[in-house]
Amino acid sequence: MKTAVGQIEAYSAAFRDLVNVKIRPTGIDIREALRLSKDEDWSFLCVSMDIIGDACTAIDSFLKFGLGGPTKYDDIGERYLRLYGILSATYIQQEALLKLYQLMNVPPSLREIKERLAGLLIRTLRHKLSSHSTNYHDKDTQSIQSYVPIRIDLQDFNCTYGMGGRGSQESVDLKVAIDEHLSVMIDLLDKILEKAIRTLFKGQETCEICLDFTERLKELRVEKDGGFVIQVSNGNKLIITLTPEEN
């Protein structure tokens, strides 16, 4: 079974392949081929695809080695770098997915997706501990707050932080926060790929290429739901789906 990071990479690869198939014929305007609103949207699409993959590399490293990293040294600086790094990596991946969502005009509304992302723990941590440590705006209390990680508790996947330096403290499991992030990213990619196939092959739903990508999406969804897609001999595939246990 693919890891969550592996699933994101698989969805991203399918989307990239879809884009390449549509722009490959010579003489076709990219904006027209991809149904983009503006010429400059092409550059935003390319950068967003690259960022998603680059962020996966960073996230995968963090999930393997935690705050300590792949080093024999117990270095507090490394832990801070990896803390700030994972907060940045997840944030820019969310923003890249949000951009693709917008470019592909995926329903529901962009506002709903932004609200969903705003509710992610890892995003809140990014605002509190990285980008707005000394000027975090608490929307519930309408107050400006400050937060700082507690150095002695930065270990593995644990992050304890305090409000106002010596104020109340809270500990979070970064792995749990990342898993939540990855789950949402997979869901958004699924919606983006589905909408892209439907939009870019409108009126061509029965063509071979469209059917291939539709089948690819089905296989990605099998893995998304915890199943397996295994390549066997003669180009055939063995698909194993999991059904929920009955009480």
Side-chain angles (χ1 to χ4, degrees):
M1 183 173 65
K2 280 191 177 75
T3 64
V5 171
Q7 290 179 47
I8 291 176
E9 291 173 332
Y11 269 102
S12 298
F15 181 78
R16 188 183 291 272
D17 289 344
L18 176 60
V19 168
N20 288 335
V21 162
K22 296 303 294 184
I23 66 173
R24 188 172 298 155
T26 57
I28 295 181
D29 180 74
I30 290 178
R31 176 179 173 181
E32 180 183 350
L34 299 179
R35 313 287 178 89
L36 299 174
S37 300
K38 298 175 290 186
D39 290 338
E40 55 265 35
D41 285 345
W42 168 240
S43 64
F44 286 106
L45 188 147
C46 291
V47 170
S48 295
M49 289 192 296
D50 288 343
I51 287 175
I52 292 167
D54 294 343
C56 275
T57 302
I59 294 169
D60 189 51
S61 174
F62 189 87
L63 290 174
K64 287 178 181 176
F65 304 108
L67 288 168
T71 174
K72 63 181 179 180
Y73 301 106
D74 183 16
D75 183 70
I76 185 62
E78 174 77 10
R79 295 201 288 274
Y80 274 113
L81 279 173
R82 291 180 68 81
L83 172 63
Y84 295 141
I86 192 60
L87 296 178
S88 178
T90 50
Y91 178 78
I92 63 174
Q93 189 172 70
Q94 290 169 19
E95 290 299 296
L97 260 296
L98 192 63
K99 191 63 180 180
L100 287 185
Y101 202 92
Q102 178 186 24
L103 292 173
M104 292 293 106
N105 294 309
V106 186
S109 70
L110 203 60
R111 172 181 285 186
E112 291 181 51
I113 301 305
K114 287 182 177 180
E115 290 176 354
R116 186 178 181 187
L117 294 179
L120 291 176
L121 174 58
I122 198 73
R123 193 177 179 95
T124 300
L125 290 174
R126 180 261 182 186
H127 297 336
K128 286 183 176 180
L129 305 181
S130 180
S131 60
H132 300 288
S133 298
T134 58
N135 61 352
Y136 178 77
H137 177 226
D138 189 305
K139 294 181 180 180
D140 294 329
T141 62
Q142 293 300 312
S143 62
I144 302 300
Q145 302 168 353
S146 60
Y147 292 89
V148 64
I150 306 301
R151 177 175 297 194
I152 60 174
D153 276 351
L154 287 180
Q155 299 288 342
D156 299 323
F157 295 101
N158 180 75
C159 175
T160 300
Y161 61 94
M163 185 174 72
R166 297 188 178 184
S168 60
Q169 297 182 2
E170 183 174 351
S171 293
V172 296
D173 186 330
L174 292 172
K175 190 175 185 305
V176 171
I178 294 169
D179 287 344
E180 178 193 31
H181 158 85
L182 294 174
S183 178
V184 173
M185 296 302 97
I186 292 169
D187 186 52
L188 293 186
L189 275 167
D190 185 275
K191 289 179 170 59
I192 290 169
L193 183 56
E194 179 185 34
K195 178 59 163 55
I197 294 171
R198 190 166 64 246
T199 299
L200 301 183
F201 288 101
K202 186 176 182 180
Q204 301 174 298
E205 291 83 1
T206 58
C207 77
E208 184 178 354
I209 298 177
C210 181
L211 293 175
D212 286 344
F213 278 103
T214 301
E215 183 62 26
R216 193 165 171 180
L217 176 59
K218 289 180 181 178
E219 293 173 1
L220 287 168
R221 285 174 170 173
V222 168
E223 294 176 327
K224 176 175 176 284
D225 293 335
F228 301 86
V229 178
I230 304 171
Q231 190 77 40
V232 293
S233 60
N234 301 323
N236 294 321
K237 294 177 181 178
L238 175 63
I239 297 178
I240 303 173
T241 58
L242 302 181
T243 56
E245 295 183 1
E246 296 184 0
N247 293 330

